[in-house]
Amino acid sequence: MYKKSLSYPYLLWAAAFIVIPLLFIVYYGLTDRTGSFTLANLAAIATAEHSKALFLSLGLSVLSTVICLLLAYPLALILSGSKIGKSGFIIFLFILPMWMNFLLRTLAWVVLLDTNGVLDSLFKLLGLPRFKIINTPAAIVFGMVYDFLPFMILPIYNVISRIDVNVINAARDLGANSFQTLYKVIFPLSLPGVISGITMVFVPSLTTFVISTLLGGGKILLIGNVIEQEFMKGTSWHVGSGLSLVLMLFIIGSMVLSSKYDNGEGNVL
Amino acid sequence: MKKRILLICGCLLAASILPGCGGSSAGENGELNVYNWGEYIDEDVIGLFEEETGIKVNYKTYDTNEDMYPIIANGAADWDVVCPSEYMIQKMLDNNLLLELNYDNIPNIANIDPDYMETVKSFDPDAAHAVPYLWGTVGILYNETMVDEPITSWDCLWDEKYADNIVMMNNPRDVFAPALISCGYSLNSTDDAELQKAAALLTQQKPLVLKYTTDEVRDMMIGEKAAIGVIYSGEATICKDENENLQYVVPEEGSNVWLDCWVIPSTCKNKENAEKWIDFLCRPDIALKNFEYIYYSTPNKAMLDLIEDKEILNNEALFPGNEVLSRCETFHYLGEEAEEKYNDLWKQVLSE
């Protein structure tokens, strides 16, 4: 009873800031200007420019998730193998930038990647071909990877560092070489971390509009930008909410997938 | 059980105190919630107003008319006084979002040039809802050292030799205006064929554009990141002060001239204070202070007499002659359907 009552502030929080806003989105998403029920806002995703924006967002966020995974997994492996003090320091280095506002960090990349910016000038000075990725999809993927990489590293590192050394020793005793140990023992055991890392990178990448506005020069329309435009440029909160609902399906899908793996493989730990 | 009730009470108490915080810090004569364009006032003026009237001002800014509108229309916040452009005022009037002003509380309106009050009638037929604040044109700011010949026409925005050197604004109507004018159409066009043609021009232009942005044009032009930028006249003057290579021109085909006015939205809770605010800003000395800080053209004719450096009156960007103005057109509110048309076409251009 005591424990239960402790949860009321959180329930209140969840109701005020999660449930009620969600209900508003559902309400706006399923009504038109006059307030009557319609599915047109959901169907709006089928128009050429909206579906193009959605597929581009899906493509870029899958790409940035894969890159994050490829960068994070080896690092997490190396970290878990090194001494506590040293790995703690490297983890600290990865978390340190997160103390700064994410918007500021992205703006800093605009300055670094800009034409005649720091990197471009450096390339010019060294006589290398000009470094022009600003305002392209490549710059957006770059920004996503930079901003969300720590969210991939931390869960994988946590899971791997908690793997019982005896399990690995047993694998080696039974004749597995280091590749087999990695492939047959460590990787399956680290799957929950990988899955939660994927969710934590994929979801914000899919919905971002700040990174694409800043690093894409306003020239690349992601689904997040479409929704932002519907809300902020004063055209239609209804269409914006409808598109948000469609986007939620993808997010819920990725969450269902991850919870399935968490329940199965997660229990092993 | 007691504990549970206590906890619930605690939560409710916390919830009731939080929104109350704003009220407790009001000035002796109440407060005023001002919602204005960004970089559109000398912020010292706010302090002066608070000192003189004892009214606490809560000040916040927006980037575009379109950002401001849904906040007011959906009642998302109780703003007492806002400063939209003419076409947005027309839209707000159409949607019954404005209160009528009591001019007895705004005696300083006598300082406003009657010509501008005539202009107000074009979007507010009774001239009963809006007090002109600042006006200006939209034009091209270019860097003399980065272009081959003086710019006089919108055509330069489609010139391939300026690829990756062009900065455009980023809201639908401001982007479509140059394209529509280049085709010889009105910037208030709602004709499907005309809009399609303008959209096709914009699609063709997109690979040449470095960036679509409204609030960064200034910094990009000062920092010489681009050769050509579409910009408001007041910002152009500030840019020229910072970088002498920059020149501002209102293209020969014509352009947009705009007039921003103070209005009181129906969400207003402090109408008298809002009128005091508008009156305060119409005072010549205050208008001058503002002018010297933001450099937009002013409709305040009493203020012009106070300017010491008369040289500035010859500045074409600040005070364009009649010859320039006769080429320019104001935006009109085109209705929801047309607005959606612009918006959809703009999304199509961006998704290409």
Side-chain angles (χ1 to χ4, degrees):
Chain A
M1 140 99 193
Y2 180 66
K3 270 187 182 162
K4 211 174 168 190
S5 57
L6 265 183
S7 69
Y8 286 139
Y10 301 104
L11 286 178
L12 195 77
W13 178 273
F17 298 113
I18 300 171
V19 179
I20 295 175
L22 262 177
L23 289 178
F24 269 113
I25 292 179
V26 173
Y27 169 77
Y28 273 108
L30 296 177
T31 53
D32 61 12
R33 273 186 225 282
T34 58
S36 52
F37 178 80
T38 173
L39 288 175
N41 300 323
L42 301 180
I45 193 71
T47 62
E49 65 271 19
H50 291 162
S51 50
K52 226 186 247 175
L54 178 66
F55 285 122
L56 184 61
S57 301
L58 281 170
L60 295 186
S61 44
V62 167
L63 185 61
S64 70
T65 310
V66 169
I67 295 174
C68 277
L69 185 59
L70 291 178
L71 288 174
Y73 202 88
L75 182 75
L77 266 183
I78 294 165
L79 286 180
S80 65
S82 55
K83 290 201 186 76
I84 293 292
K86 195 174 155 200
S87 67
F89 179 69
I90 296 173
I91 289 285
F92 173 73
L93 281 185
F94 270 91
I95 296 177
L96 194 62
M98 290 165 78
W99 293 4
M100 234 183 312
N101 184 289
F102 137 89
L103 207 60
L104 277 180
R105 282 183 285 136
T106 313
L107 272 171
W109 277 113
V110 176
V111 178
L112 291 173
L113 298 179
D114 219 345
T115 327
N116 297 324
V118 178
L119 282 176
D120 191 29
S121 306
L122 193 69
F123 271 55
K124 203 160 65 173
L125 201 72
L126 297 173
L128 294 166
R130 298 294 291 270
F131 189 79
K132 277 195 177 172
I133 72 161
I134 189 79
N135 305 341
T136 64
I140 297 178
V141 171
F142 186 93
M144 287 173 174
V145 169
Y146 169 77
D147 280 322
F148 304 130
L149 185 61
F151 299 109
M152 186 66 94
I153 294 175
L154 293 177
I156 298 179
Y157 167 71
N158 274 337
V159 172
I160 292 184
S161 63
R162 274 187 288 145
I163 293 175
D164 195 338
V165 189
N166 291 326
V167 176
I168 296 167
N169 288 341
R172 300 306 291 266
D173 279 351
L174 292 170
N177 62 27
S178 44
F179 177 73
Q180 283 169 323
T181 316
L182 175 65
Y183 177 70
K184 297 217 156 146
V185 179
I186 300 178
F187 186 72
L189 284 176
S190 68
L191 257 185
V194 171
I195 297 290
S196 90
I198 288 176
T199 316
M200 285 170 77
V201 172
F202 179 73
V203 171
S205 303
L206 183 63
T207 52
T208 186
F209 62 89
V210 177
I211 298 175
S212 48
T213 304
L214 292 177
L215 293 171
K219 289 170 78 175
I220 293 150
L221 200 65
L222 297 189
I223 192 71
N225 298 93
V226 174
I227 295 172
E228 187 221 1
Q229 195 178 333
E230 292 298 335
F231 277 94
M232 300 306 288
K233 301 294 172 209
T235 42
S236 173
W237 285 23
H238 300 279
V239 174
S241 302
L243 295 178
S244 302
L245 288 177
V246 174
L247 199 53
M248 255 181 241
L249 290 182
F250 286 91
I251 294 168
I252 292 170
S254 75
M255 293 229 191
V256 166
L257 211 73
S258 69
S259 72
K260 204 173 128 194
Y261 275 96
D262 266 351
N263 287 341
E265 304 284 334
N267 291 340
V268 178
L269 291 177
Chain B
M1 196 64 208
K2 251 187 191 163
K3 263 184 192 155
R4 185 186 296 198
I5 292 168
L6 252 166
L7 260 168
I8 295 173
C9 288
C11 295
L12 288 176
L13 193 69
S16 63
I17 287 173
L18 283 175
C21 292
S24 60
S25 62
E28 50 187 307
N29 290 320
E31 56 179 346
L32 180 67
N33 301 310
V34 180
Y35 201 27
N36 191 10
W37 290 86
E39 300 279 335
Y40 215 43
I41 198 169
D42 178 350
E43 301 221 356
D44 291 348
V45 166
I46 301 171
L48 286 175
F49 177 77
E50 287 183 325
E51 241 168 66
E52 275 188 33
T53 59
I55 295 167
K56 164 94 173 68
V57 174
N58 304 314
Y59 186 78
K60 208 184 151 209
T61 62
Y62 52 83
D63 284 337
T64 66
N65 283 306
E66 287 72 17
D67 287 345
M68 177 275 301
Y69 181 80
I71 306 276
I72 302 288
N74 293 296
D78 292 338
W79 295 109
D80 295 321
V81 61
V82 289
C83 188
S85 308
E86 70 298 298
Y87 72 99
M88 191 50 72
I89 294 175
Q90 202 179 349
K91 176 174 180 180
M92 293 172 91
L93 268 175
D94 275 12
N95 289 289
N96 291 320
L97 291 173
L98 297 182
L99 299 180
E100 213 163 286
L101 303 174
N102 179 357
Y103 285 110
D104 294 341
N105 292 336
I106 313 175
N108 281 322
I109 197 161
N111 297 324
I112 304 290
D113 190 330
D115 286 354
Y116 293 96
M117 293 311 289
E118 278 306 308
T119 314
V120 167
K121 282 186 186 154
S122 71
F123 52 86
D124 173 16
D126 319 324
H129 301 85
V131 173
Y133 179 51
L134 294 168
W135 66 278
T137 52
V138 172
I140 295 173
L141 187 69
Y142 64 95
N143 191 316
E144 280 177 318
T145 60
M146 295 166 84
V147 296
D148 299 341
E149 66 281 307
I151 302 285
T152 55
S153 155
W154 291 116
D155 289 345
C156 68
L157 299 178
W158 280 267
D159 192 332
E160 299 205 346
K161 67 181 173 214
Y162 300 127
D164 275 342
N165 257 322
I166 299 170
V167 188
M168 294 287 285
M169 294 190 180
N170 80 340
N171 75 73
R173 291 207 64 184
D174 285 329
V175 170
F176 270 83
L180 284 165
I181 295 169
S182 299
C183 299
Y185 306 136
S186 159
L187 48 77
N188 289 310
S189 172
T190 56
D191 181 86
D192 278 334
E194 292 183 4
L195 288 175
Q196 290 286 358
K197 203 169 158 200
L201 263 186
L202 290 172
T203 309
Q204 180 199 329
Q205 182 205 21
K206 197 182 163 202
L208 308 179
V209 175
L210 177 64
K211 197 160 195 170
Y212 293 104
T213 170
T214 301
D215 38 10
E216 284 173 64
V217 187
R218 199 162 104 179
D219 294 340
M220 294 182 78
M221 292 307 295
I222 294 172
E224 307 205 330
K225 303 254 186 241
I228 297 171
V230 179
I231 197 168
Y232 298 117
S233 52
E235 299 217 294
T237 309
I238 295 174
C239 292
K240 276 158 77 175
D241 277 354
E242 299 281 330
N243 184 337
E244 56 188 20
N245 296 329
L246 298 177
Q247 287 300 331
Y248 178 76
V249 63
V250 176
E252 59 199 6
E253 299 95 331
S255 183
N256 171 224
V257 57
W258 46 266
L259 176 65
D260 290 346
C261 303
W262 287 104
V263 296
I264 300 186
S266 50
T267 53
C268 176
K269 295 251 182 338
N270 306 288
K271 183 152 184 280
E272 271 180 33
N273 287 350
E275 281 159 350
K276 269 187 203 151
W277 169 262
I278 296 174
D279 189 52
F280 188 75
L281 290 175
C282 289
R283 237 170 61 183
D285 56 323
I286 299 299
L288 181 66
K289 208 168 158 32
N290 261 334
F291 173 77
E292 285 174 345
Y293 183 78
I294 39 182
Y295 283 127
Y296 276 102
S297 319
T298 174
N300 195 314
K301 70 175 189 312
M303 185 215 93
L304 294 180
D305 300 333
L306 292 183
I307 294 183
E308 279 171 18
D309 175 19
K310 298 288 179 203
E311 191 74 4
I312 204 163
L313 296 177
N314 299 326
N315 183 328
E316 268 284 312
L318 282 179
F319 300 99
N322 285 333
E323 178 270 326
V324 173
L325 288 181
S326 62
R327 287 185 259 142
C328 293
E329 204 181 347
T330 54
F331 277 133
H332 298 305
Y333 171 54
L334 306 172
E336 248 160 33
E337 205 184 312
E339 243 179 19
E340 250 167 49
K341 241 188 257 174
Y342 273 87
N343 205 44
D344 287 346
L345 283 170
W346 177 227
K347 277 191 288 195
Q348 279 172 27
V349 172
L350 281 182
S351 69
E352 279 305 319

